[in-house]
Amino acid sequence: MTEASWSRGDGGDCIRLTGLPAGAHVRIFPGRGVSPETAAGGAGGRPATAGRLVREGDDLCFVPRFAFLDGTTYTVTVEGEIAAVLVRALPDRQPVTKVTGIRPTATEVPCNLLRFYLQFSAPMSEGCAAEYIRLARDDGDNITGALLPTEHELWDASRLRLTVLLDPARIKRGLIGHQDGGYPLRPGEPFRLVIGSGFRDAEGLPLRAPAQHRYHVGGAERRHVDPASWVLTVPPAGSSEPLRVTFDRPLDYGLLARCLQVIGPDGHPVEGTAQTGHGEQAWQLAPRRAWASGPHQLVVDPVLEDLAGNSVSRVFDRDLSRSEDRPREARPVTVGFRPR
Amino acid sequence: MGEFGLQRGSVDLRSAGAITFGPAGILFLADNAAATVFAVDVVDPDPGPEGGAEPFDLADVDARVGSFLGAEPGDIVIKDMAVHPLSHNVYLSVQRGHGEAAQPVLVRISRLDGAITDIPLDDVAFAAAPLDDAPADDDERVDITLPLGSEGEEIQVGERKIRILRQPIRTATITDIAYAGGALLVAGLSNEEFSSRLRRIPFPFRDGATGSSLEIFHVSHGKWETAAPIRAFVPYDGGASILASYTCTPVVYFPLADLTDGAKAVGRTVAELGSVNQPLDMVSFVQDGEEYLLVANSAHGLVKIACRDIDSQPPLTEPQQPVGVPRETKDLQGIRRLANLGGGHVLVLQHDDEGRQHLRSLKTASL
C-alpha cells in the first residue's frame, strides 16, 4: 500500500512516498484527472512533471524541478496506476490589498481621454486587468470596446501601479475604429471606471473591496500642451514658500512627476519637494532652502502630455491641414520667473 | 560563440517575454521586468536533415507544457514562440504561475517527437543589452523596498548599512522583437508617454550601447499624422523593409534604410485591420518565388498580404472598408503566434473555443 504526503527532502519541498516496492515506476502530474494514455506514458499523453526521485531510507521522495504551486492538485501514479492525489493548500489569509488611487483625479475628462493609472497597496498579479477593469455608464451598463485589449499589461517594476489605455483606434480620427464606433466616451455622459474585487494580488488573494471613480466627460482636446499658458505664483525671494504652477487643463499624472524641474540662477536644479495638485491641474515645488533672488527657469520636458495624449511637442493625432498643430521641437521648454 | 561577444554565466531572467532567433541559433529573449534583452546560445540539439520537411502538430500544448512544469494549464502563459532556423525545434517563452509565484521558463519542444524539455539558463553563453528607456538616471521616482535576499544595493544610513531595492515606476514593455540586418529591432509600449519608438540595437551587443531609437509616424488617410506604439512587426525583403502593425490597427510599411538615428520617419499606411481588433503577430514566407506576409489578429482570421502589393500600394487616403492592399482573410480563428517552420510550413499557436492551445502547421502552398 503506497502512501503519499507533503514533506521536505533533499533540500526542498517534496512528495514523500512510503510502502513502494523497489524499482517502482513513479510519476507525478498536475491536476486531478490523468487519462489512461497519460498514465501509461504513451506518446499522446501529457508528460510527467519534471523532477527527480530520491531514496531516503525506505521512502522515495519526488523533488520537483519547479516548486509546487499553491492551490494545485498533484496526482501520483505508480506503474501507470493512480496511487494518490495530493492538494497543495492555498494560504489561509484574508484579503488586505486595496486600490489606493485612481488617476486622473479630475472630475471631468476629455472624450478623447487616453489613459488611467491605478495604484494598489501591495504588488499585484498580472493577467487580471481585462477581466476586472471596466468602464460603466450611470445606468450600470458597461461601455464595451473602450479599453485597449492588450495582452501586455503595463505595470511598474514593483507591480503597484497599472497603466490602462483606452483603445487609440477609437480615439484617432480617420481610423476605422473611430469611424465605426466613435469615441468610447461621449460628452455629457458621465461614466465610472470600476475595478472588481476579483483582481488578484501577488499572493493570489482578491482585493478587500471593489473601487471606482466617476467622471464627467467634456469635448475633445487636441492642442499642444503649452507651458506659456500656465499661471505661475512666484514666491518671494528669501522665503521657502512653494512655487505654484496652475495649468490650463489637467495633465498626465505619471509624466508630471518627472517632466518638471526648476533651475536656479546658479544653473543648478532647485532641490525640494514637488507635489502634483488635485485634479492634476496644478504643481508646486517647496524648496529645501530659501529661494534665491534672480532669474529662475521652470524647465518642461517636451514629452509631458495632457489627458488626451497631446504633448508639448506634438498633438495626439495631427490634422495635417492645421499649421498651428505642427510638431514642435522635441527640446525642453522653459518658463522664466524671478522671486523678488 | 566568442564571435558574438557571448560569455558563459547565469542569465538572471526575471520575466518571460518575446523571443526570436538571430544568427547562429542565438535566441534573443526580452525581459520586461529587468528592462533587458538577452542573447543566449541555446545549444540546440540539431536533429539532422530529417528534422526538416514534415509538418508538426501538438494538441493541448499548454496542458503538456504545464504538466511538465507541474502546473495546471491556467497557471501557464505562453508569451511567445520561436522556431530554431536549422533544427526547427520549437521554443516557447513561458510564464509559470502568477504573482509572487510567477517564474519565467524557456521550453524546447522537439520537432521530431514532441518531447518537452526546459532550458536551464544558469550556465549558458549569453550577452545582455539593457534598454535605454528604462528609467533615466535623473528619474528619481522609484519605489524603494527592503529586499529579502541579496538583490538591490547597500547604502549607509547613519552607522548602519542596509540593503535597498529601487524599483522603477517608469517601465517599457517590449511588444515584439526581430533580428534583421545585423541588429535586433525592439518595439515597445511605455507605461507613461504614448510614443512610437523602434529601437535598433547592433548585434553583437557592445558595452553600454543601447542602440538608436526611432520615432515612426504614420499618416491616416492623408489627413492625420499620428504616432502609436508598434504591437507587432516583421522584416521582409531580406531585412530591407519592415511591415509594422500598430495598436490602433494601421499596418505601416517603411524601408529599414530610412531609419537613421534621431530622424523622424514617416511610414506609409498600407492597410487597416479594422475596428475592435488588435494585431498579435506577423511572419513572412515565400510561396512560388513570391514573398507574403501573414498577420494574426484578435478579431479576424489570418490576414495574408503579398509583398509586391505593398510595394505598389499608394498611401491610404480615404477611410473605407476593406482598406489598403489586397488581402485574403483565412478562416483560421484564434491564432495568437506565428513562426516559420521550414519545409513549406508556418507554425501557429492557436487558441480554440474552449481556451485550449494547440500548435498547428499550416502549409504555405495552401494559404
Side-chain angles (χ1 to χ4, degrees):
Chain A
M1 179 72 184
T2 305
E3 286 188 14
S5 59
W6 297 115
S7 182
R8 300 276 296 173
D10 204 35
D13 289 339
C14 71
I15 293 175
R16 182 176 295 273
L17 301 156
T18 60
L20 276 180
H25 191 211
V26 176
R27 295 189 302 155
I28 311 291
F29 299 91
R32 196 170 289 275
V34 176
S35 70
E37 192 174 19
T38 293
R46 287 190 280 140
T49 294
R52 62 188 194 281
L53 287 164
V54 180
R55 173 68 62 185
E56 283 196 1
D58 290 340
D59 298 346
L60 208 50
C61 291
F62 174 81
V63 183
R65 170 137 48 198
F66 302 93
F68 294 117
L69 286 172
D70 291 346
T72 298
T73 301
Y74 292 90
T75 298
V76 181
T77 67
V78 177
E79 305 302 342
E81 299 289 333
I82 294 177
V85 175
L86 293 171
V87 179
R88 191 88 185 158
L90 277 172
D92 183 20
R93 284 193 293 269
Q94 292 300 308
V96 291
T97 303
K98 57 186 179 182
V99 177
T100 56
I102 299 175
R103 271 95 182 191
T105 58
T107 52
E108 182 178 298
V109 294
C111 63
N112 57 344
L113 173 70
L114 183 59
R115 68 171 80 81
F116 300 96
Y117 295 102
L118 312 183
Q119 192 79 35
F120 296 89
S121 63
M124 302 297 290
S125 277
E126 294 184 32
C128 295
E131 192 172 351
Y132 294 109
I133 300 174
R134 62 192 172 91
L135 303 186
R137 296 191 184 85
D138 277 354
D139 62 10
D141 284 352
N142 289 338
I143 304 175
T144 55
L147 300 176
L148 182 68
T150 175
E151 55 189 307
H152 298 100
E153 293 182 358
L154 301 176
W155 290 94
D156 71 338
S158 54
R159 295 199 310 278
L160 290 167
R161 193 185 80 179
L162 176 66
T163 305
V164 178
L165 291 171
L166 284 101
D167 187 349
R170 295 285 304 277
I171 297 172
K172 291 185 175 182
R173 294 167 294 182
L175 296 179
I176 291 173
H178 182 74
Q179 302 260 326
D180 287 355
Y183 291 115
L185 307 176
R186 304 273 161 82
E189 295 182 13
F191 75 98
R192 289 170 295 130
L193 173 75
V194 182
I195 302 145
S197 59
F199 208 124
R200 301 279 154 169
D201 69 14
E203 294 185 355
L205 293 170
L207 296 175
R208 203 164 68 180
Q212 62 176 347
H213 190 98
R214 185 171 182 266
Y215 297 96
H216 292 278
V217 181
E221 180 60 78
R222 296 190 192 280
R223 296 171 295 157
H224 288 96
V225 170
D226 182 11
S229 68
W230 299 348
V231 176
L232 273 59
T233 306
V234 180
S239 80
S240 294
E241 291 174 25
L243 166 75
R244 291 195 173 84
V245 183
T246 305
F247 313 127
D248 62 331
R249 66 191 106 147
L251 299 180
D252 181 80
Y253 166 78
L255 291 164
L256 265 176
R258 72 172 156 98
C259 287
L260 298 179
Q261 191 180 36
V262 173
I263 304 293
D266 59 359
H268 293 296
V270 173
E271 291 183 10
T273 306
Q275 203 176 340
T276 298
H278 185 74
E280 290 79 56
Q281 200 156 353
W283 179 87
Q284 67 172 39
L285 178 72
R288 184 174 298 170
R289 286 182 288 276
W291 292 101
S293 58
H296 287 64
Q297 303 284 342
L298 174 65
V299 182
V300 185
D301 187 319
V303 304
L304 178 61
E305 293 177 7
D306 64 16
L307 301 186
N310 305 297
S311 74
V312 174
S313 58
R314 61 169 169 73
V315 171
F316 184 64
D317 60 329
R318 173 166 80 95
D319 184 337
L320 294 170
S321 67
R322 284 170 54 90
S323 60
E324 62 269 42
D325 287 352
R326 278 196 192 132
R328 294 173 183 166
E329 275 193 274
R331 287 204 309 224
V333 172
T334 59
V335 182
F337 68 96
R338 181 186 286 266
R340 295 182 187 279
Chain B
M1 286 292 154
E3 65 193 296
F4 295 107
L6 307 190
Q7 298 201 332
R8 218 161 176 85
S10 178
V11 177
D12 183 19
L13 192 69
R14 290 171 52 197
S15 63
I19 55 174
T20 194
F21 275 100
I26 290 171
L27 186 70
F28 295 105
L29 298 91
D31 181 345
N32 288 317
T36 300
V37 180
F38 295 100
V40 175
D41 177 9
V42 292
V43 197
D44 187 84
D46 187 344
E50 71 273 22
E54 294 303 311
F56 177 70
D57 295 277
L58 192 66
D60 296 310
V61 63
D62 55 336
R64 289 172 194 272
V65 169
S67 193
F68 175 78
L69 298 176
E72 302 255 28
D75 283 322
I76 292 294
V77 183
I78 299 174
K79 296 276 193 171
D80 204 6
M81 175 178 83
V83 172
H84 190 279
L86 296 178
S87 72
H88 304 131
N89 285 326
V90 181
Y91 285 73
L92 299 178
S93 165
V94 175
Q95 178 190 300
R96 174 192 185 266
H98 297 282
E100 291 293 301
Q103 182 181 8
V105 186
L106 183 62
V107 163
R108 174 167 50 223
I109 302 178
S110 166
R111 170 81 147 74
L112 293 180
D113 57 9
I116 297 170
T117 49
D118 69 298
I119 297 157
L121 295 174
D122 54 357
D123 184 19
V124 290
F126 80 101
L131 297 182
D132 68 345
D133 63 354
D137 290 341
D138 58 358
D139 188 350
E140 294 171 345
R141 298 169 309 132
V142 289
D143 293 327
I144 293 180
T145 54
L146 299 175
L148 292 174
S150 57
E151 277 187 302
E153 60 183 294
E154 205 169 61
I155 61 165
Q156 188 85 30
V157 179
E159 294 180 351
R160 292 177 56 212
K161 280 186 177 170
I162 60 168
R163 186 165 284 280
I164 61 165
L165 186 62
R166 295 175 192 270
Q167 306 256 32
I169 289 174
R170 179 184 172 206
T171 57
T173 298
I174 296 167
T175 52
D176 202 3
I177 55 176
Y179 178 80
L184 185 70
L185 302 168
V186 181
L189 262 170
S190 161
N191 69 340
E192 292 187 348
E193 68 268 33
F194 200 69
S195 75
S196 175
R197 298 172 70 198
L198 188 72
R199 189 177 299 104
R200 179 154 62 174
I201 309 173
F203 185 75
F205 299 146
R206 290 189 292 271
D207 271 354
T210 54
S212 53
S213 173
L214 315 130
E215 182 101 23
I216 298 145
F217 292 79
H218 54 280
V219 174
S220 293
H221 313 301
K223 290 182 182 167
W224 295 282
E225 182 180 85
T226 176
I230 294 172
R231 170 59 192 84
F233 67 97
V234 60
Y236 70 101
D237 192 16
S241 304
I242 299 279
L243 198 69
S245 289
Y246 284 76
T247 51
C248 52
T249 82
V251 178
V252 174
Y253 156 86
F254 46 89
L256 203 52
D258 282 5
L259 304 187
T260 53
D261 193 14
K264 174 187 156 185
V266 179
R268 177 158 52 90
T269 301
V270 294
E272 267 193 55
L273 294 176
S275 56
V276 198
N277 195 8
Q278 281 291 298
L280 297 174
D281 203 2
M282 302 171 80
V283 72
S284 76
F285 67 92
V286 176
Q287 179 183 326
D288 297 333
E290 293 254 13
E291 193 167 16
Y292 294 86
L293 304 168
L294 285 178
V295 185
N297 58 96
S298 62
H300 307 303
L302 269 186
V303 174
K304 179 186 173 191
I305 299 172
C307 294
R308 66 180 136 74
D309 290 333
I310 294 173
D311 297 338
S312 60
Q313 166 73 35
L316 295 185
T317 53
E318 290 297 327
Q320 56 184 348
Q321 267 184 310
V323 292
V325 291
R327 87 283 293 270
E328 298 171 53
T329 301
K330 302 291 172 185
D331 188 24
L332 293 162
Q333 307 295 327
I335 292 176
R336 306 283 181 96
R337 292 291 181 274
L338 301 160
N340 273 307
L341 187 61
H345 291 93
V346 168
L347 186 71
V348 303
L349 175 67
Q350 188 171 30
H351 288 225
D352 68 17
D353 292 342
E354 298 166 13
R356 294 157 63 192
Q357 300 178 39
H358 315 289
L359 293 179
R360 285 183 62 194
S361 295
L362 306 180
K363 202 170 174 55
T364 52
S366 315
L367 283 171

